[in-house]
């Protein structure tokens, strides 16, 4: 007997109220914060072994668009809480629909690759002033997880409903590269677009001799070249009391050669797609997926050219010095990072219309205080990998044998996984798990080498199949996650909470005298 019937059989339908459901929520696997009332109908979510269901008691006619099975002479309707009922959810509960964040100072991307992390993310963020981008997924992540943007939006929306979270959230089509991808993401309802220009950034320019640089520069069309020269050469740009930029001819030739195609591409995407959208869109420019760090001079040049062309964007993601590998702390010279980051923030403040975005922001604890302080709490930061790793910790705690299988599989397939992500992990340093007892397995998720191993393998793990075509791990993993979802939410609330605290993000009640 499933839990939705249990609660109704025990408590009866007649006379049931929102209060009674909330009071008995725990016992009957009801999400207490999900209880809502519309014109005498009661709606709430229950947890089932294979996911969530929406229960509607005494459904009124305006709720007819929620499709489901009817029980008790139509007094109860039980509906799949998935994409098939996303549109009615958005219609009746507008707080479940993502919105652009516009001028919110602190915004945090909280990618949920598995479609199970959002409730924990909400628990972490709702106490703070930060605006969450709860749905955030790149094409690479969609391919690895076998999901679509509809899946991503729908799990986020149902999780927002589950938590009764009404402060608004965003949805980021992350690292999109083509106009078609962007149009698709906007059509489905994404509210933020992160344009990845890496295919248009020329990585062959850095390190060229002056004569080679000059020869390649001369081949570019003359008119735009001369216009840019007149904008930058022989001038000084006072960014802040501590930063004055000027361009030598070789600086400028190099920057034009590296970025001119990317700038043209950004302009075309902005004019043809972003500026034509009927809804407000947060538009992020990402130049972070390049070989070399973005110098402050390069940042200034790109931003200035975009301003010149009236391209409005919300945030810009430079590639910072040092390494931002997924799921582990910052690797690099912290002092140099502090200096360059300060310069990047200074340039963004000089233009005054966009914020700095930090990608691969999971677990960068040693630099979080710098990001929070230097930006004066005006930044975007993206995370995703860390929520996957916390989900693996849940497996290690509750299904040690399954964890052992996943761990061995990841080691066996390491070379394949390395094709997709750059890591510095030394897997020989990871403890031999045959020597680790069950209670010690979860601690592996505190070891940077093991974290990286499990991080880069997520696509391979989720897609692994047995010889008969059935999933090797996926189904068993989701069964554990559904069963222990309060534990997972609590773990994420703690872990993401630590991110926010170290970033210096204020609690809702702070600073109000
Ligand atoms: Zn990025």
């Amino acid at each position: 007997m499933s839990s939705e019937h249990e609660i109704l059989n025990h408590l009866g339908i007649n006379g049931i109220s929102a209060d009674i459901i909330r009071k008995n929520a725990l016992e009957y696997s009801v999400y207490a914060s999900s209880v809502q009332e519309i014109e005498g109908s009661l709606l709430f979510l229950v947890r089932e072994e294979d996911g969530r269901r929406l229960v509607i008691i005494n459904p009124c006619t305006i709720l007819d668009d929620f499709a489901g099975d009817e029980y008790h002479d139509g007094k109860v309707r039980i509906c799949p809480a998935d994409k098939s009922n996303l549109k009615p959810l958005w219609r009746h509960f507008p707080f479940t629909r993502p919105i652009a964040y516009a001028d919110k100072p602190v915004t945090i991307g909280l990618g949920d690759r598995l479609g199970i992390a959002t409730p924990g993310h909400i628990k972490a963020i709702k106490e703070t002033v930060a605006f969450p981008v709860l749905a955030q997924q790149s094409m690479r992540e969609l391919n690895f997880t076998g999901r679509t943007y509809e899946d991503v939006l729908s799990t986020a929306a149902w999780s927002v409903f589950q938590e009764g979270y009404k402060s608004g959230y965003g949805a980021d089509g992350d690292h999109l590269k083509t106009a078609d991808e962007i149009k698709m993401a906007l059509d489905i309802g994404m509210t933020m677009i992160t344009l990845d220009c890496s295919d248009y950034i020329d990585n062959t320019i850095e390190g060229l001799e002056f004569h080679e640089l000059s020869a390649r520069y001369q081949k570019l069309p003359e008119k735009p070249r001369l216009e840019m020269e007149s904008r930058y050469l022989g001038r000084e740009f006072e960014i802040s009391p501590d930063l004055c930029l000027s361009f030598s001819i070789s600086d400028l030739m190099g920057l034009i050669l590296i970025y001119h195609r990317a700038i043209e591409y950004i302009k075309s995407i902005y004019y043809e797609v972003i500026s034509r959208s009927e809804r407000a869109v947060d538009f992020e420019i990402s130049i972070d997926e390049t070989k070399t760090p973005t110098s402050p001079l390069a940042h200034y040049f790109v931003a200035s050219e975009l301003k010149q062309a009236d391209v409005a964007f919300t945030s810009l993601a430079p590639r910072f010095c040092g390494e931002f590998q997924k799921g582990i702390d910052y690797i690099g010279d912290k002092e140099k990072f502090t200096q360059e980051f300060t310069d990047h923030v200074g340039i963004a403040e000089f233009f005054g219309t966009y914020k700095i975005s930090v990608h691969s922001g999971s677990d960068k604890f040693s630099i979080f205080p710098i990001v929070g302080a230097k930006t004066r709490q005006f930044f975007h930061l993206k995370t995703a990998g860390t929520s996957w790793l916390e989900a693996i910790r849940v497996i290690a705690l509750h299904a040690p044998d399954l964890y052992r299988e996943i761990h061995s599989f990841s080691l066996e397939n390491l070379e394949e996984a390395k094709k997709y992500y750059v890591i510095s992990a030394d897997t020989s340093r990871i403890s031999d798990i045959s020597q680790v007892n069950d209670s010690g397995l979860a601690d592996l998720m505190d070891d940077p080498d093991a974290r990286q191993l499990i991080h880069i393998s997520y696509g391979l793990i989720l897609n692994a199949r047995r010889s008969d075509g059935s999933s090797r791990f996926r189904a068993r993993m989701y069964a554990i996650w559904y069963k222990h979802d309060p534990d997972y939410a609590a773990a994420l609330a703690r872990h993401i909470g630590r991110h926010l605290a170290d970033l210096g993000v204020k609690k809702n009640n702070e600073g109000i005298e």
Side-chain angles (χ1 to χ4, degrees):
M1 190 162 46
S2 61
S3 51
E4 62 264 25
H5 293 125
E6 251 175 77
I7 187 169
L8 300 172
N9 288 341
H10 284 196
L11 303 174
I13 299 163
N14 297 328
I16 202 160
S17 69
D19 280 345
I20 293 173
I21 294 169
R22 282 194 200 102
K23 219 186 283 164
N24 293 280
L26 211 54
E27 193 177 341
Y28 297 104
S29 300
V30 167
Y31 293 100
S33 304
S34 71
V35 184
Q36 298 283 343
E37 288 185 83
I38 285 188
E39 294 190 16
S41 303
L42 277 173
L43 303 92
F44 56 92
L45 283 182
V46 290
R47 187 166 82 244
E48 295 282 289
E49 276 166 19
D50 58 349
R52 299 173 286 206
R53 301 278 186 287
L54 173 71
V55 180
I56 310 177
I57 299 177
N58 297 322
C60 57
T61 48
I62 61 161
L63 297 176
D64 279 352
D65 47 359
F66 278 114
D69 297 327
E70 307 234 307
Y71 301 88
H72 300 272
D73 301 325
K75 284 190 191 135
V76 177
R77 193 184 313 147
I78 294 171
C79 314
D82 63 15
K83 60 186 168 190
S84 66
N85 280 316
L86 178 61
K87 290 282 153 65
L89 182 70
W90 279 356
R91 199 171 301 132
H92 298 295
F93 302 98
F95 66 87
T96 64
R97 192 178 183 123
I99 50 171
Y101 58 71
D103 52 359
K104 299 276 192 313
V106 178
T107 50
I108 311 272
L110 296 158
D112 178 7
R113 290 176 186 156
L114 300 165
I116 55 171
T118 299
H121 293 157
I122 292 173
K123 285 183 206 302
I125 208 126
K126 72 178 180 195
E127 310 294 335
T128 74
V129 299
F131 179 93
V133 177
L134 296 170
Q136 168 201 286
Q137 215 90 138
S138 65
M139 282 292 152
R140 176 167 65 178
E141 289 174 309
L142 291 180
N143 291 336
F144 280 170
T145 55
R147 300 170 79 211
T148 63
Y149 274 135
E150 247 187 318
D151 296 322
V152 173
L153 283 173
S154 134
T155 51
W158 283 106
S159 300
V160 165
F161 184 78
Q162 175 187 315
E163 296 300 311
Y165 181 71
K166 295 181 180 161
S167 306
Y169 73 99
D172 178 7
D174 195 8
H175 276 280
L176 299 185
K177 291 188 170 183
T178 68
D180 284 345
E181 287 174 356
I182 293 170
K183 280 182 200 152
M184 177 273 289
L186 289 174
D187 279 348
I188 292 173
M190 306 306 276
T191 59
M192 171 173 178
I193 295 297
T194 299
L195 177 64
D196 180 329
C197 322
S198 53
D199 291 350
Y200 297 89
I201 294 174
D202 192 339
N203 278 313
T204 66
I205 304 302
E206 198 82 25
L208 288 186
E209 298 286 338
F210 186 83
H211 68 274
E212 296 170 290
L213 202 61
S214 182
R216 290 184 55 177
Y217 183 70
Q218 300 304 329
K219 287 189 195 139
L220 297 177
E222 191 176 28
K223 189 167 172 276
R225 253 195 300 130
L226 294 180
E227 281 170 7
M228 283 190 271
E229 285 179 21
S230 73
R231 284 204 279 278
Y232 298 98
L233 290 182
R235 299 176 62 177
E236 293 206 321
F237 301 92
E238 290 275 346
I239 305 300
S240 71
D242 301 318
L243 182 64
C244 179
L245 296 174
S246 57
F247 293 76
S248 70
I249 179 68
S250 68
D251 287 335
L252 187 65
M253 289 192 301
L255 290 172
I256 291 173
L257 284 167
I258 295 171
Y259 290 108
H260 79 279
R261 288 182 62 225
I263 290 165
E264 287 311 311
Y265 188 61
I266 297 166
K267 286 195 233 171
S268 73
I269 291 286
Y270 178 75
Y271 297 140
E272 283 159 34
V273 188
I274 304 291
S275 68
R276 292 188 188 173
S277 164
E278 284 160 20
R279 290 181 290 115
V281 178
D282 297 313
F283 184 41
E284 174 161 313
I285 308 292
S286 134
I287 51 173
D288 67 316
E289 304 250 322
T290 58
K291 277 201 200 129
T292 45
T294 314
S295 65
L297 203 62
H299 172 178
Y300 180 84
F301 172 71
V302 172
S304 157
E305 284 301 300
L306 293 176
K307 290 284 152 188
Q308 174 80 22
D310 286 327
V311 174
F313 53 102
T314 329
S315 45
L316 181 134
R319 156 120 200 242
F320 302 108
C321 60
E323 286 180 52
F324 283 69
Q325 296 184 17
K326 312 271 174 176
I328 59 167
D329 205 343
Y330 175 73
I331 302 171
D333 181 341
K334 239 176 80 179
E335 258 170 57
K336 184 165 181 238
F337 173 81
T338 308
Q339 183 53 55
E340 289 202 7
F341 189 77
T342 308
D343 291 348
H344 285 302
V345 172
I347 294 165
E349 285 179 353
F350 173 82
F351 289 109
T353 50
Y354 64 94
K355 54 171 75 167
I356 294 293
S357 175
V358 178
H359 287 198
S360 304
S362 291
D363 303 285
K364 301 296 175 290
F365 292 106
S366 67
I367 56 155
F368 283 160
I370 302 164
V371 171
K374 295 295 175 193
T375 60
R376 289 183 272 260
Q377 296 295 309
F378 186 72
F379 63 87
H380 185 69
L381 178 119
K382 299 195 189 198
T383 70
T386 202
S387 299
W388 153 254
L389 291 166
E390 288 305 307
I392 293 294
R393 195 192 296 273
V394 172
I395 305 258
L397 280 170
H398 296 288
D401 291 340
L402 177 55
Y403 177 79
R404 285 176 197 280
E405 277 183 60
I406 292 169
H407 188 102
S408 307
F409 170 86
S410 304
L411 281 173
E412 283 159 25
N413 292 283
L414 181 63
E415 289 313 311
E416 174 71 12
K418 275 186 177 169
K419 288 182 194 160
Y420 307 104
Y421 288 98
V422 178
I423 58 164
S424 63
D426 178 353
T427 47
S428 68
R429 287 189 303 222
I430 300 173
S431 314
D432 174 0
I433 54 165
S434 66
Q435 307 298 317
V436 180
N437 57 28
D438 285 356
S439 62
L441 289 176
D443 295 341
L444 284 165
M445 289 301 102
D446 297 321
D447 164 31
D449 293 309
R451 283 179 80 78
Q452 289 203 287
L453 167 71
I454 299 293
H455 177 269
I456 62 168
S457 308
Y458 76 89
L460 297 176
I461 295 169
L462 290 170
N463 290 315
R465 298 197 174 277
R466 294 198 183 88
S467 50
D468 67 358
S470 63
S471 87
R472 182 159 168 204
F473 305 116
R474 190 184 186 116
R476 285 185 290 161
M477 292 169 87
Y478 271 94
I480 299 293
W481 289 326
Y482 286 137
K483 189 163 168 205
H484 297 282
D485 90 334
D487 289 3
Y488 182 44
L492 277 180
R494 238 187 347 264
H495 192 63
I496 297 296
R498 222 186 118 203
H499 283 61
L500 296 167
D502 286 11
L503 284 160
V505 178
K506 283 212 166 28
K507 294 274 173 70
N508 283 325
N509 50 7
E510 267 177 71
I512 301 160
E513 298 294 308

